[in-house]
């Protein structure tokens, strides 16, 4: 129940950002990454130049996943990007909750920790925009959860967690430069 309520709050705060600009990108970072996604979509290759933010072309994780959703479903880049960021928001809430719960061994403390994180100003707009940090931070939180889980898991389960950790690290490396 707590996890469900936290996801509802996280999604509700995402919808606040969507009410600000429900049909197109308006923030600077969104327009920059939209340009990179459009370049990949139109030119059919990665690492094309983006004069607005040259480094974004070298970390196309968000744009690759957006293009995949757009091509598979026929949605626009805006709609596909919104789905990616929406799902990333849910992953972020779940990863933070599960990490806090693993460390504290308390569902109450984990819930409180996620709620406190959600009071962060950046959670409403900055972390909900179509920009690489909106995907990279949930990936980083997932990596933290996997690492914590690995410490507390039996040795026989660590091989699968190691593989998942490496896969998540690879996804993070192609998504954000930090």
């Amino acid at each position: 129940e707590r996890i469900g309520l936290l996801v509802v709050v996280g999604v509700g705060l995402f919808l606040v950002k969507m009410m600000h600009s429900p049909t197109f990108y308006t923030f600077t970072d969104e327009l920059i990454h939209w340009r990179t996604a459009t370049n990949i979509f139109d030119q059919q290759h990665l690492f094309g130049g983006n004069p607005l933010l040259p480094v974004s072309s070298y970390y196309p994780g968000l744009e690759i996943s957006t293009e995949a959703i757009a091509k598979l479903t026929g949605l626009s880049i805006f709609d596909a990007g919104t789905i990616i960021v929406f799902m990333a928001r849910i992953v972020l809430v779940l990863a933070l909750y599960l990490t806090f719960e693993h460390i504290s061994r308390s569902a109450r403390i984990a819930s409180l920790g996620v709620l406190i994180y959600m009071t962060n100003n950046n959670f409403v707009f900055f972390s909900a925009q179509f920009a690489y940090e909106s995907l990279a931070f949930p990936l980083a939180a997932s990596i933290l959860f996997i690492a914590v889980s690995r410490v507390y898991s039996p040795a026989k389960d660590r091989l699968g967690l190691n593989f998942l950790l490496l896969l998540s690290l690879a996804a993070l490396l192609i998504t954000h430069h930090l």
Side-chain angles (χ1 to χ4, degrees), residues 17-18 21-25 30 34 66 76-83:
K17 190 269 178 199
M18 288 307 301
S21 51
T23 56
F24 52 88
Y25 296 126
E30 291 180 317
W34 173 77
T66 300
S76 68
I77 290 176
F78 174 81
D79 293 334
T82 300
I83 290 170

Side-chain angles (χ1 to χ4, degrees), residues 1 12-13 19 30 51 65 70-71 89 127 159 161 163 168 177:
E1 182 178 327
L13 292 173
M19 287 189 297
E30 291 180 317
S65 54
K71 286 199 173 184
R89 173 61 62 101
S127 295
L159 182 62
L161 290 173
F163 177 74
S168 300
H177 55 283

Side-chain angles (χ1 to χ4, degrees), residues 52-63:
L52 302 173
L53 182 65
V55 74
S56 77
S57 299
Y58 300 117
Y59 299 94
L62 174 68
E63 292 85 356

Side-chain angles (χ1 to χ4, degrees), residues 2-3 6 96-97 100-102 104-116:
R2 288 179 184 169
I3 294 173
L6 289 170
L96 288 175
Y97 175 84
F100 294 155
E101 185 181 43
H102 241 64
S104 69
R105 304 257 189 240
S106 168
R108 286 183 181 173
I109 291 174
S111 301
L112 187 60
V114 174
L115 283 173
I116 289 170

Side-chain angles (χ1 to χ4, degrees), residues 10-167:
V11 167
L13 292 173
F14 177 77
L15 293 176
V16 169
K17 190 269 178 199
M18 288 307 301
M19 287 189 297
H20 176 270
S21 51
T23 56
F24 52 88
Y25 296 126
T26 57
F27 295 116
T28 305
D29 281 358
E30 291 180 317
L31 295 172
I32 289 169
H33 291 285
W34 173 77
R35 167 75 188 263
T36 302
T38 302
N39 288 349
I40 292 170
F41 197 83
D42 293 341
Q43 298 169 3
Q44 299 297 307
H45 66 84
L46 298 175
F47 312 117
N50 183 345
L52 302 173
L53 182 65
V55 74
S56 77
S57 299
Y58 300 117
Y59 299 94
L62 174 68
E63 292 85 356
I64 292 169
S65 54
T66 300
E67 181 190 9
I69 296 290
K71 286 199 173 184
L72 287 172
T73 62
L75 294 172
S76 68
I77 290 176
F78 174 81
D79 293 334
T82 300
I83 290 170
I84 295 293
V85 174
F86 176 81
M87 297 305 292
R89 173 61 62 101
I90 293 172
V91 168
L92 176 61
V93 170
L94 293 174
L96 288 175
Y97 175 84
L98 294 171
T99 302
F100 294 155
E101 185 181 43
H102 241 64
I103 292 170
S104 69
R105 304 257 189 240
S106 168
R108 286 183 181 173
I109 291 174
S111 301
L112 187 60
V114 174
L115 283 173
I116 289 170
Y117 177 78
M118 286 183 189
T119 63
N120 173 5
N121 275 347
N122 288 332
F123 189 74
V124 176
F125 286 104
F126 187 72
S127 295
Q129 64 181 327
F130 182 69
Y132 48 28
E133 61 271 352
S134 300
L135 181 58
F137 192 64
L139 285 170
S142 298
I143 290 168
L144 181 62
F145 169 65
I146 295 166
V148 168
S149 297
R150 189 184 171 287
V151 169
Y152 293 107
S153 69
K156 64 179 178 149
D157 296 337
R158 289 189 184 153
L159 182 62
L161 290 173
N162 287 342
F163 177 74
L164 191 57
L165 189 62
L166 289 174
L167 190 63

